[in-house]
Amino acid sequence: MQAVGIIVEYNPFHNGHHYHLQSAKEETNADCVIAVMSGHFLQRGEPAVVSKWARTKMALKAGADLVIELPYAFSTQQADTFANGAVAILEHLKASYVCFGSEHGNTQSFLKFSRLLKEHEHAIDEHVQSYLKVGNSYPKALSLAMKNITNEQIGLNMEQPNNILGVSYVKAIEKQHASIKPHTITRIQSHYHDKMLSETEITSATSIRHALFQDIIDVKDLSRYMPNPVIQGLKDYQTQIGFLHNWELYFPFLKYQLMTHSPESLQAIYEIEEGIEYRLLNAIKEALSFEDFLSKVKTKRYTRTRLQRMCVHILTNTKKNELSKSPSTAYIRLLGISQIGRLYMKQIKKDVSVPIVSTVSQCKHVDLSLDIKATNIYSSPLQEPIRSQFLKQEYTQPPIMI
Amino acid sequence: MQAVGIIVEYNPFHNGHHYHLQSAKEETNADCVIAVMSGHFLQRGEPAVVSKWARTKMALKAGADLVIELPYAFSTQQADTFANGAVAILEHLKASYVCFGSEHGNTQSFLKFSRLLKEHEHAIDEHVQSYLKVGNSYPKALSLAMKNITNEQIGLNMEQPNNILGVSYVKAIEKQHASIKPHTITRIQSHYHDKMLSETEITSATSIRHALFQDIIDVKDLSRYMPNPVIQGLKDYQTQIGFLHNWELYFPFLKYQLMTHSPESLQAIYEIEEGIEYRLLNAIKEALSFEDFLSKVKTKRYTRTRLQRMCVHILTNTKKNELSKSPSTAYIRLLGISQIGRLYMKQIKKDVSVPIVSTVSQCKHVDLSLDIKATNIYSSPLQEPIRSQFLKQEYTQPPIMI
C-alpha cells in the first residue's frame, strides 16, 4: 500500500479541499490518504471554527484515511516550522508523497526555487534583509532577492500564500533528507477577493468564515461551497456547543490574561520581542474588541498574522522556554482512522520510530502538555457543563472511525 | 481636630456598619472619621459586591470623612498582615483611635491578651502548633494554648472572627510602636445563623450577600437592613454594570487561568504551597462552578477562607516575588473625602511621610501596580464598552466628594 500525505486545517472543510484530497489520491496513485491537520489553533494565529474532533469527522467523510494532529508546537508557527513538523510526521508514517495545493502548480519550479535558495543562502538572506528594511513584506523581499541574485525567472510568485508554504515543504524535505516526494496541484481559485464568497462552487475558507461571522450567510445556506455532511457537522456543532469559534469569543480572556502581565512577564511569552509588549499592554486597556485591539497594535512591521500568532501564545500563556522555532516531532497523535487507514497502519506500525498516541489518558509517558493546554484554553468560552465534557474528550477520545 | 480610624469592607454597607461608624465617632469624641476600606478583593478571598468607588460613596453618605483604600497587598491577607496595613495607614494619618467592632467588647481584654501573647510568644507558638496538628482550627488552637500557658481566663473567644481581628489590631499597634490607641465597640449581632437574614434591623453582610445571590431577596427589599442611599447605590450599580459581583462570575477566568498553568508555574503564585497546586489542577478539570471547585478542593487542613485567598491570588496571577506577609505601606490612596475630611487633611498633610495619591494618572512615581491589576481583573466579567470605561476610572477618578 502506498500513502499520500496532505497538510490541512479544514477551517472549515469546503469543495476546494475535497478536490485537493481526491486529486492528491488520484495523481499520486495512492491507496491511503494521510491528512496532517492542525489542532485547535491555526497557522494564521486563529482558533479553529470547530473542534479538531468535528473537523476530523469532516476529513474522514471526505475520504481521508488517517487524520493526524499537527501539534500546537508546529501548527501556530511561521511557514518553515509549520512545514517541518508536518513533513516529519508524514515521513514517520512512510508517505510516498506530500501533495500540496499551490497557486503556481508546477512541482519542478518549487524544487528549483528551493535548490537556488540553498545554493545562494547567504547572499539571498542579506538581500532579503535590505529589502525588508526599505519596507517590503517578507514574500516580496524574498522574490526580489531571488531575482537579483540568481537572475532567473522561475515564475513562482512568493506573495501568494500557498506558494510560500510549498517552498517550505520542499525545503523541509531537503533539510530532513526525507524520502517523501513533493507534488503540487494547482489550486482552483475564485477570481474574487479572498473575503468575498465566490459565484462558483469553490470559495476560500476565509470567505466562508467572513460570511458566517459577519452574519452574511447562515450555515444551512453554504451547500454551494461544501459537501452536505460538512454542513450537517457545522449545524450539529452549533447546536451542541452553542457557537462557531472566532477570536472575538476569546477576547475577554485575552484581555484578562494581558491584564495579569507586566511588560517584564510578557517578555517571557513566545514570540514577544522588540518591545511589542509595551504596545500590547497599552492598546489592550481601551480595546473594545479583538478587531479593535489589532487595529490599535498593527504597524507595517507587525503583520496581522504575526500579531495573531503572538496573541495565541499569550492566550495559551506559552513561554519561550516551552517552545522554539525547531521543536521535535516526538509523537504521532491519531485523531481519526478509516478501514483503509487501519490496514495501512498495520503495515507500517513496526517501522514508526515515535510513539503513536491513540488515547491521551493511556499515554502518560508522552509529553502532550502543549496540546492539552491548547484544548483547555480553546474550551474557555464554552458554558458549563459542556466545557468540562469538552475537556474530558481531550483525554478519553479514541481515534474517530466512520 | 481629632480623628478616629475604622477598618472596613462595606460588602455591602448596612445598619450595623452605620452604628459602628457613629459610635466610633461619639465614643472617641472625634471630629473626623477615617475609613480604611479594602479595594476590590477582600480579606475572606472574595471580590467585593460593588466597586470601591460605589462603596466609597456609601461610606461618605453614612458619615465617613476620609475613605482610604487598603491596598491589595494587605486587603487579601490573613488577619495580622491585614491589620498591620490598616493600622499603619491610620498612624500615618495621625488618627487618635482605631475603633473596631468585636464580639467581646472590652478593650482591656484585648490589651491583656496581646500582652500575654508577647510575653509567652515562643511557648504559645509551640502549643499552637501541637493543637493544630491534632486537627484544631487556628483560633481554637490559639485559645487552648493561651489558656494552657498563662492559666488565665480572659474570656476573649478567639473563634469569633472580629475578636481575632481585634487582637491583630492591638498587636499591630504594639509592633509598630504606634501612638494610635485601640478602642472596641460591642457588635450588635443577630441571634440567627450568620447566613440567615435577621428579624431585627441589624443583619450580617454575609447574610445579605447570601440572600442576594441565592435570589432570596431583591435589592429593593433590603430597606430594613441598610440606609436608603445604599439601596439606591446598589440599584444604580446593577443598572450600570449589569450585576453585583460574586465569585461565580470570575469562575470562567479562574478556570482559564488555572488551565494555563503547570504545577511548577502554579507554585510561583503567592500562598500556593505544600503541594496544593496538584489538588487545584486536578479539581478544576471537572469543576462546574466555583462552589463545586471549592467543595472538591476543601479539606480540614485548607479552610474555605484560605482557599479563597489562594484563588484570588491565582486570579490576579500574583507571584511570590510580588507579595509577602510583611508588605510596606508606601502610599495613602484617597478614594473619598468630605468637607471635614478636607479640613483634617489640610491640618495634617505636612506631617504625612508617605505620598498621598489622589488621582493615579498623576502619580507615576508611586508603585500602585498591584492595585491597578486588581481593578483590571475585577473588571473581567464586565461587557465592553463598560469594561474599558471601568478600567479608565482606575487612572482618572479623583477622590469622590459628596
Side-chain angles (χ1 to χ4, degrees):
Chain A
M1 282 177 87
Q2 298 280 313
V4 61
I6 56 177
I7 299 162
V8 303
E9 294 193 323
Y10 293 161
N11 191 41
F13 189 93
H14 57 61
N15 292 341
H17 295 132
H18 193 258
Y19 168 83
H20 172 224
L21 194 156
Q22 294 301 330
S23 306
K25 195 171 178 181
E26 282 164 30
E27 292 193 13
T28 63
N29 206 16
D31 311 296
C32 172
V33 178
I34 306 174
V36 177
M37 188 182 80
S38 299
H40 286 132
F41 291 96
L42 310 180
Q43 212 238 331
R44 286 198 215 190
E46 288 174 340
V49 291
V50 294
S51 76
K52 57 190 180 189
W53 302 295
R55 283 177 293 129
T56 294
K57 279 183 204 154
M58 293 172 190
L60 291 171
K61 280 184 185 154
D65 297 300
L66 288 170
V67 183
I68 311 296
E69 179 168 356
L70 182 66
Y72 181 91
F74 301 102
S75 74
T76 58
Q77 300 240 34
Q78 56 189 40
D80 282 351
T81 308
F82 178 91
N84 262 323
V87 166
I89 287 172
L90 291 173
E91 181 74 4
H92 277 306
L93 291 173
K94 321 294 176 200
S96 307
Y97 286 95
V98 53
C99 190
F100 53 93
S102 68
E103 291 82 1
H104 186 66
N106 182 335
T107 309
Q108 291 311 313
S109 300
F110 284 95
L111 289 166
K112 187 171 176 189
F113 195 96
S114 176
R115 181 173 51 74
L116 289 170
L117 260 183
K118 208 175 168 186
E119 279 172 25
H120 303 280
E121 192 179 351
H122 192 66
I124 288 176
D125 269 4
E126 268 184 9
H127 273 65
V128 164
Q129 291 310 320
S130 317
Y131 283 120
L132 284 175
K133 270 183 196 147
V134 295
N136 289 289
S137 68
Y138 176 78
K140 181 82 185 170
L142 182 57
S143 291
L144 289 168
M146 179 60 89
K147 199 177 155 195
N148 259 20
I149 299 294
T150 66
N151 213 10
E152 290 206 48
Q153 279 289 17
I154 311 171
L156 198 53
N157 181 355
M158 294 306 280
E159 290 177 81
Q160 292 181 301
N162 290 278
N163 288 345
I164 282 256
L165 272 171
V167 168
S168 293
Y169 295 140
V170 175
K171 279 165 65 185
I173 291 170
E174 286 169 1
K175 190 178 164 194
Q176 295 172 29
H177 306 291
S179 50
I180 194 168
K181 288 178 288 297
H183 178 78
T184 193
I185 293 170
T186 313
R187 275 167 64 95
I188 312 174
Q189 279 193 301
S190 93
H191 292 292
Y192 294 90
H193 185 273
D194 213 15
K195 276 194 172 177
M196 294 279 284
L197 287 170
S198 106
E199 287 180 15
T200 71
E201 281 69 42
I202 306 286
T203 197
S204 67
T206 303
S207 69
I208 294 174
R209 293 195 303 276
H210 182 77
L212 285 172
F213 292 122
Q214 300 298 314
D215 290 325
I216 293 166
I217 202 164
D218 194 79
V219 168
K220 69 179 188 322
D221 301 320
L222 284 169
S223 58
R224 175 174 204 150
Y225 306 114
M226 45 177 65
N228 277 328
V230 173
I231 291 181
Q232 193 54 48
L234 291 176
K235 281 201 279 193
D236 291 348
Y237 196 88
Q238 280 182 318
T239 306
Q240 198 198 336
I241 302 295
F243 48 74
L244 301 177
H245 302 243
N246 71 1
W247 248 120
E248 294 302 344
L249 288 169
Y250 296 87
F251 182 66
F253 298 94
L254 179 71
K255 187 160 179 168
Y256 162 71
Q257 178 70 249
L258 278 166
M259 291 297 180
T260 69
H261 278 287
S262 62
E264 294 70 33
S265 68
L266 203 52
Q267 274 166 28
I269 304 282
Y270 185 60
E271 301 264 34
I272 301 296
E273 42 211 11
E274 304 166 0
I276 186 77
E277 59 273 18
Y278 294 96
R279 227 180 139 73
L280 295 169
L281 289 175
N282 210 34
I284 196 67
K285 285 183 207 162
E286 295 183 15
L288 302 179
S289 67
F290 186 67
E291 275 306 317
D292 187 30
F293 178 56
L294 278 191
S295 72
K296 284 182 160 73
V297 180
K298 215 176 146 192
T299 62
K300 211 166 177 182
R301 185 190 193 107
Y302 295 102
T303 62
R304 186 187 176 93
T305 300
R306 189 171 168 200
L307 287 171
Q308 289 194 155
R309 280 204 285 263
M310 285 182 198
C311 288
V312 164
H313 299 310
I314 294 168
L315 189 70
T316 57
N317 202 21
T318 301
K319 306 284 171 59
K320 283 175 178 144
N321 60 14
E322 293 179 280
L323 196 52
S324 76
K325 297 230 180 300
S326 323
S328 66
T329 42
Y331 53 90
I332 302 281
R333 181 159 174 193
L334 210 50
L335 292 176
I337 190 163
S338 72
Q339 296 287 350
I340 288 174
R342 281 208 270 187
L343 286 175
Y344 182 78
M345 283 306 283
K346 207 171 160 186
Q347 174 187 304
I348 63 149
K349 211 168 184 174
K350 62 181 189 319
D351 301 322
V352 178
S353 58
V354 291
I356 295 170
V357 177
S358 291
T359 310
V360 171
S361 58
Q362 289 165 8
C363 289
K364 295 227 158 98
H365 56 293
V366 184
D367 181 13
L368 296 156
S369 56
L370 279 180
D371 295 324
I372 293 171
K373 186 161 77 165
T375 294
N376 289 344
I377 304 309
Y378 184 73
S379 79
S380 299
L382 276 66
Q383 295 290 310
E384 297 292 359
I386 304 167
R387 183 180 185 180
S388 290
Q389 289 157 8
F390 191 95
L391 295 186
K392 204 179 269 179
Q393 200 173 359
E394 177 72 9
Y395 294 91
T396 59
Q397 176 69 54
I400 292 167
M401 291 187 277
I402 57 159
Chain B
M1 282 175 87
Q2 299 280 315
V4 61
I6 57 178
I7 299 162
V8 303
E9 294 193 324
Y10 292 162
N11 191 42
F13 189 93
H14 58 61
N15 292 343
H17 296 131
H18 192 260
Y19 168 81
H20 171 225
L21 194 155
Q22 295 301 331
S23 306
K25 196 170 176 182
E26 281 163 31
E27 292 194 13
T28 63
N29 206 17
D31 311 296
C32 173
V33 178
I34 306 174
V36 176
M37 189 182 79
S38 298
H40 286 131
F41 292 96
L42 308 181
Q43 213 239 330
R44 287 199 214 190
E46 290 175 339
V49 291
V50 294
S51 76
K52 58 189 178 190
W53 301 295
R55 284 177 293 129
T56 295
K57 277 183 205 155
M58 293 171 189
L60 290 171
K61 281 185 186 154
D65 297 300
L66 287 171
V67 183
I68 311 297
E69 179 168 356
L70 183 66
Y72 180 90
F74 300 101
S75 75
T76 58
Q77 302 239 33
Q78 53 189 40
D80 282 350
T81 308
F82 177 91
N84 262 322
V87 166
I89 286 172
L90 290 173
E91 181 74 3
H92 277 306
L93 290 173
K94 320 295 173 197
S96 306
Y97 287 95
V98 53
C99 189
F100 54 93
S102 68
E103 291 82 0
H104 186 67
N106 181 336
T107 309
Q108 290 311 313
S109 300
F110 285 94
L111 290 166
K112 187 172 177 188
F113 195 96
S114 175
R115 181 172 51 75
L116 290 170
L117 260 184
K118 208 176 168 187
E119 279 173 23
H120 304 280
E121 190 179 352
H122 192 67
I124 289 176
D125 269 3
E126 268 184 8
H127 274 66
V128 164
Q129 291 310 320
S130 319
Y131 285 121
L132 284 175
K133 270 182 195 146
V134 295
N136 289 288
S137 69
Y138 177 78
K140 181 82 185 170
L142 182 57
S143 291
L144 289 169
M146 178 61 87
K147 199 175 154 196
N148 260 19
I149 299 294
T150 65
N151 213 10
E152 290 207 46
Q153 280 287 15
I154 310 170
L156 198 52
N157 181 356
M158 292 309 279
E159 290 177 79
Q160 292 182 301
N162 290 277
N163 287 346
I164 282 257
L165 272 171
V167 169
S168 294
Y169 296 140
V170 175
K171 279 164 66 186
I173 292 169
E174 285 169 2
K175 190 179 164 195
Q176 295 172 29
H177 306 291
S179 49
I180 195 170
K181 289 177 287 293
H183 178 79
T184 193
I185 293 169
T186 313
R187 274 167 63 98
I188 312 174
Q189 279 193 301
S190 94
H191 292 292
Y192 294 90
H193 184 274
D194 212 14
K195 276 194 173 178
M196 295 279 283
L197 286 170
S198 105
E199 287 181 15
T200 70
E201 281 70 44
I202 305 287
T203 197
S204 68
T206 303
S207 68
I208 294 173
R209 293 196 302 275
H210 181 77
L212 285 172
F213 292 123
Q214 300 298 315
D215 289 326
I216 294 166
I217 203 165
D218 194 79
V219 168
K220 69 178 187 322
D221 301 321
L222 284 168
S223 58
R224 175 173 203 153
Y225 305 113
M226 45 176 65
N228 278 327
V230 173
I231 292 182
Q232 193 54 48
L234 291 175
K235 282 201 279 191
D236 291 348
Y237 197 87
Q238 281 182 317
T239 308
Q240 198 198 336
I241 302 296
F243 49 74
L244 302 177
H245 303 242
N246 70 3
W247 248 119
E248 294 302 345
L249 289 168
Y250 295 87
F251 182 65
F253 298 95
L254 179 71
K255 186 159 180 168
Y256 161 72
Q257 178 69 251
L258 278 165
M259 292 298 180
T260 70
H261 279 286
S262 62
E264 296 70 33
S265 69
L266 203 52
Q267 275 165 28
I269 303 281
Y270 186 60
E271 302 263 34
I272 302 295
E273 43 213 9
E274 305 165 359
I276 185 78
E277 59 274 17
Y278 295 95
R279 225 179 140 73
L280 295 170
L281 288 174
N282 211 35
I284 196 67
K285 285 182 204 160
E286 296 183 15
L288 302 180
S289 66
F290 186 68
E291 275 306 317
D292 187 29
F293 178 57
L294 279 192
S295 72
K296 284 182 161 72
V297 180
K298 216 176 145 189
T299 63
K300 209 165 176 182
R301 187 191 190 104
Y302 295 103
T303 62
R304 187 186 176 93
T305 299
R306 188 171 167 198
L307 287 170
Q308 290 194 155
R309 279 204 286 261
M310 286 181 197
C311 289
V312 163
H313 298 310
I314 293 167
L315 189 72
T316 58
N317 201 21
T318 301
K319 307 282 171 58
K320 284 176 175 140
N321 60 14
E322 293 178 281
L323 196 52
S324 76
K325 297 231 180 298
S326 323
S328 66
T329 42
Y331 52 90
I332 302 282
R333 182 160 173 193
L334 210 50
L335 292 175
I337 190 164
S338 72
Q339 296 288 351
I340 287 174
R342 282 208 269 188
L343 286 176
Y344 183 77
M345 283 306 282
K346 208 171 159 187
Q347 175 187 306
I348 63 149
K349 212 168 185 175
K350 62 179 190 317
D351 300 322
V352 178
S353 58
V354 292
I356 295 170
V357 177
S358 291
T359 310
V360 171
S361 58
Q362 289 165 8
C363 289
K364 297 227 156 98
H365 57 293
V366 184
D367 181 12
L368 296 157
S369 57
L370 280 181
D371 295 323
I372 293 171
K373 186 160 77 166
T375 293
N376 289 344
I377 303 309
Y378 185 74
S379 80
S380 298
L382 276 65
Q383 296 290 311
E384 297 290 0
I386 304 167
R387 182 179 186 180
S388 290
Q389 288 157 7
F390 191 94
L391 295 185
K392 202 178 270 178
Q393 201 173 358
E394 178 72 8
Y395 294 92
T396 58
Q397 176 69 55
I400 293 168
M401 291 188 273
I402 58 159

